[in-house]
Amino acid sequence: MGSEFYVSSDREQTGPWPFTREQLEESVIRNWPGASVGEFFEGRHLEIQVEVEPGQLAELSFSLRHRVFSFADREPWSAPLTVIYTVLRELAPTVPVVWWIDYDATMEPLDLSADLQAFIRSFGT
């Protein structure tokens, strides 16, 4: 079984993201009309599947309880990161963002004020 990446608000600087589940679903569907958003694990998570570009599928989940995105450590990371970036720029553009991998809980910042390509490049470095 592979590792998972996690992306959340920087709770040392702020609380959890202010958007609702409905706002998240609406944002995903508005930006990618063919996307799939559904509940799993007894309604505690949203499973999000988006074809970001033709042939490039993003599969990620959002914990409704912990308010954290997660996705498998499987390249290209750009697909799930594109979804996260787009949604957060729309719903919580000023909230600081961090990421970590499951085996090392060292939180690293992600800069939402950068453009998408810079945001993706900064991930994992």
Side-chain angles (χ1 to χ4, degrees):
M1 194 162 171
S3 298
E4 292 276 323
F5 288 113
Y6 298 91
V7 177
S8 81
S9 61
D10 185 344
R11 293 182 185 202
E12 289 184 12
Q13 294 186 39
T14 187
W17 283 309
F19 54 82
T20 66
R21 167 209 169 131
E22 292 78 17
Q23 289 171 315
L24 174 60
E25 289 182 66
E26 290 168 4
S27 177
V28 169
I29 299 300
R30 183 174 42 259
N31 285 288
W32 296 278
S36 168
V37 181
E39 285 186 8
F40 76 103
F41 197 56
E42 299 174 356
R44 291 187 258 175
H45 290 80
L46 291 179
E47 182 177 89
I48 302 167
Q49 293 184 341
V50 174
E51 189 171 19
V52 176
E53 295 179 16
Q56 188 178 34
L57 184 65
E59 297 176 306
L60 60 155
S61 66
F62 183 75
S63 167
L64 295 166
R65 179 176 177 206
H66 299 290
R67 313 222 18 101
V68 174
F69 289 99
S70 63
F71 60 95
D73 180 4
R74 182 176 52 235
E75 292 199 42
W77 301 327
S78 59
L81 288 172
T82 297
V83 174
I84 292 168
Y85 175 86
T86 303
V87 167
L88 293 180
R89 289 280 299 228
E90 187 173 299
L91 300 176
T94 61
V95 176
V97 179
V98 294
W99 73 273
W100 67 95
I101 194 163
D102 58 7
Y103 62 80
D104 177 13
T106 303
M107 295 189 187
E108 300 291 337
L110 281 172
D111 185 5
L112 264 183
S113 67
D115 68 17
L116 174 60
Q117 294 310 313
F119 180 82
I120 291 169
R121 281 192 307 272
S122 71
F123 184 82
T125 58

